[in-house]
Amino acid sequence: MRALIGACLLALLPFAAMAAGTVPPIPTRAALDAEAAAAMKAAEANGLAIAVIDAGKVVHVAAYGQRNAQGDPLQTATVMYGASLTKTVFAYTVLQLVDEGKLDLDRPIGEYFDKPLTDYPAEDGYGPWPDLAGDPRWKTITAHMLLTHSSGFANFAFLEPDEKLRIHFTPGARYAYSGEGLILLQYVLERGLGLDLGAEMQRRVFDRFGMPNTSMVWRPDFATNLADGWREDGTVEPHDERGRVRAAGSMDTTIADLANFAAALIRGEGLSPASAAAMTAAQLPITTPSQFPTLQDELPPAQRRKDLAAGLGVVVFDGPQGRGFYKGGHNDSTGNTWVCVRQGQRCVVILGNDVRAERAFPRLVAFVLGETGVPWTWEYGDKVFVP
């Protein structure tokens, strides 16, 4: 709760000296259609879908291109892979539990279990917690640290040279993106609190906000209107039928469904004012030149961006229109982004079933929202974007 109170105060203050500018008009649907076609051609992307939110309401939902190699059209009801956008929906679910007093962001996660975390055997779907047995720092990890990617873990244990989970720095000290950290928080909810995360997200988010084609696990009915993906080299990757709930990224969704949740989130619906403010407040400075590799060295203090910080399940930034937040989602054949600015309660959500769509993200987001200050180079490193 201390984290939430502090976040409410932070939310009222800019973390970069930048005043909000004039809000540009949202483009017409015809203009958006033309721009999307041009941007896709420039990026050589076969398919993407876009949703636009203005004043907290969905104003445009559109899909362009193909959903598979057979040439079937991508539609607003086509099921697409949410990838790491899942993390934002998960964070929202966690904050509802905080509001209900079932979870405390500042309480060490070990206190939710009947025995030490490291005494629980490794099992499919969760991290190898026994690997941490020789490092007592795991006892200091909190839900706040896990949601701000400051646990000290690598992105996933299987990416370590020996595939062993370890803590690389004092938990809470700095940002380093970690899907494993979100899996640990899922473990707290499922093994510590006895909840079924898939069922909780279904009830608290998907059912609540009119998301009939969204799920944390594969459903057979998705197969009738499903998006495969294209890799960077143009080869097709079939949609993965994910059978296990993964807080770090198992969500399947549609652009129409996700638009409804994005609108609710920018309005703060379903959360207390404190939690809504905390989620998109500057919780922890980000001190690296780019997001990946996750455990890269921090920049010298003088070179760090003062307009960039971790929120809870999102990245927070300051830009020409004031405070905003965003989240990306990526695998070899998926490129997603979700950008919101507080001023005007505006968002654009893009789901790409072709990873090459990422090349067009800065262009498309700027076309819809105007210049926002999204940290594209921090997110994507040296990726070359289309003009």
Side-chain angles (χ1 to χ4, degrees):
M1 186 56 67
R2 294 192 303 275
L4 288 180
I5 294 171
C8 288
L9 297 174
L10 282 169
L12 301 176
L13 301 171
F15 58 95
M18 190 174 295
T22 302
V23 175
I26 294 292
T28 65
R29 174 60 183 269
L32 178 61
D33 290 349
E35 179 65 13
M40 286 176 63
K41 182 177 180 181
E44 300 180 309
N46 286 292
L48 62 82
I50 301 178
V52 180
I53 290 89
D54 185 27
K57 298 180 180 179
V58 180
V59 295
H60 295 313
V61 180
Y64 308 96
Q66 303 172 0
R67 67 179 178 90
N68 55 32
Q70 289 71 46
D72 293 324
L74 189 68
Q75 301 171 326
T76 58
T78 298
V79 174
M80 305 176 73
Y81 178 41
S84 284
L85 299 189
T86 307
K87 293 179 173 70
T88 300
V89 185
F90 174 62
Y92 173 93
T93 305
V94 169
L95 287 172
Q96 283 199 336
L97 295 171
V98 172
D99 285 340
E100 294 166 9
K102 297 176 181 177
L103 188 77
D104 187 325
L105 291 180
D106 297 316
R107 183 181 179 187
I109 55 95
E111 296 182 7
Y112 290 95
F113 300 107
D114 295 330
K115 58 185 178 181
L117 174 67
T118 52
D119 286 357
Y120 287 85
E123 56 183 302
D124 288 345
Y126 299 111
W129 317 132
D131 292 350
L132 301 174
D135 189 340
R137 291 180 296 177
W138 72 263
K139 298 177 182 179
T140 68
I141 294 174
T142 65
H144 185 270
M145 294 174 191
L146 298 173
L147 289 176
T148 55
H149 295 277
S150 57
S151 62
F153 298 152
N155 195 1
F156 288 102
F158 68 79
L159 297 174
E160 296 277 18
D162 57 0
E163 299 188 359
K164 299 288 187 181
L165 183 63
R166 56 175 53 82
I167 298 173
H168 290 267
F169 53 81
T170 300
R174 53 164 289 195
Y175 179 99
Y177 193 86
S178 177
E180 201 77 77
L182 276 294
I183 297 300
L184 176 52
L185 188 50
Q186 176 182 346
Y187 196 75
V188 172
L189 269 55
E190 295 191 328
R191 294 291 187 269
L193 299 182
L195 302 175
D196 179 331
L197 179 61
E200 292 294 323
M201 294 180 72
Q202 185 69 46
R203 175 174 65 87
R204 295 172 179 274
V205 182
F206 309 149
D207 292 343
R208 176 173 188 160
F209 296 119
M211 303 170 70
N213 295 310
T214 300
S215 175
M216 288 293 286
V217 292
W218 171 257
R219 289 181 359 210
D221 61 297
F222 287 167
T224 60
N225 191 356
L226 183 68
D228 294 330
W230 279 269
R231 295 171 174 261
E232 188 67 39
D233 63 3
T235 57
V236 176
E237 180 175 300
H239 192 101
D240 188 358
E241 299 180 6
R242 294 169 178 82
R244 179 182 293 128
V245 173
R246 298 275 288 175
S250 69
M251 182 178 69
D252 277 326
T253 190
T254 70
I255 193 64
D257 283 7
L258 199 58
N260 290 340
F261 177 67
L265 183 61
I266 193 64
R267 295 193 305 264
E269 187 174 340
L271 296 176
S272 69
S275 287
M279 189 167 179
T280 60
Q283 296 282 346
L284 180 73
I286 288 176
T287 56
T288 52
S290 59
Q291 182 158 222
F292 298 102
T294 58
L295 293 167
Q296 63 187 284
D297 292 338
E298 296 180 279
L299 288 167
Q303 297 179 25
R304 296 174 186 175
R305 296 181 59 153
K306 295 180 174 59
D307 61 344
L308 186 61
L312 301 175
V314 296
V315 173
V316 183
F317 62 91
D318 267 357
Q321 298 181 44
R323 183 64 53 84
F325 62 91
Y326 86 99
K327 183 70 186 79
H330 170 96
N331 73 3
D332 287 344
S333 60
T334 301
N336 300 333
T337 195
W338 173 356
V339 177
C340 295
V341 289
R342 286 184 178 171
Q343 185 178 201
Q345 292 187 331
R346 293 178 157 195
C347 305
V348 59
V349 182
I350 306 176
L351 301 180
N353 63 319
D354 187 327
V355 72
R356 294 169 295 188
E358 292 174 339
R359 303 172 188 169
F361 285 175
R363 171 176 171 170
L364 287 170
V365 172
F367 182 80
V368 174
L369 298 179
E371 184 51 53
T372 58
V374 179
W376 297 115
T377 55
W378 179 82
E379 174 75 13
Y380 292 106
D382 58 0
K383 183 182 289 292
V384 177
F385 300 111
V386 300

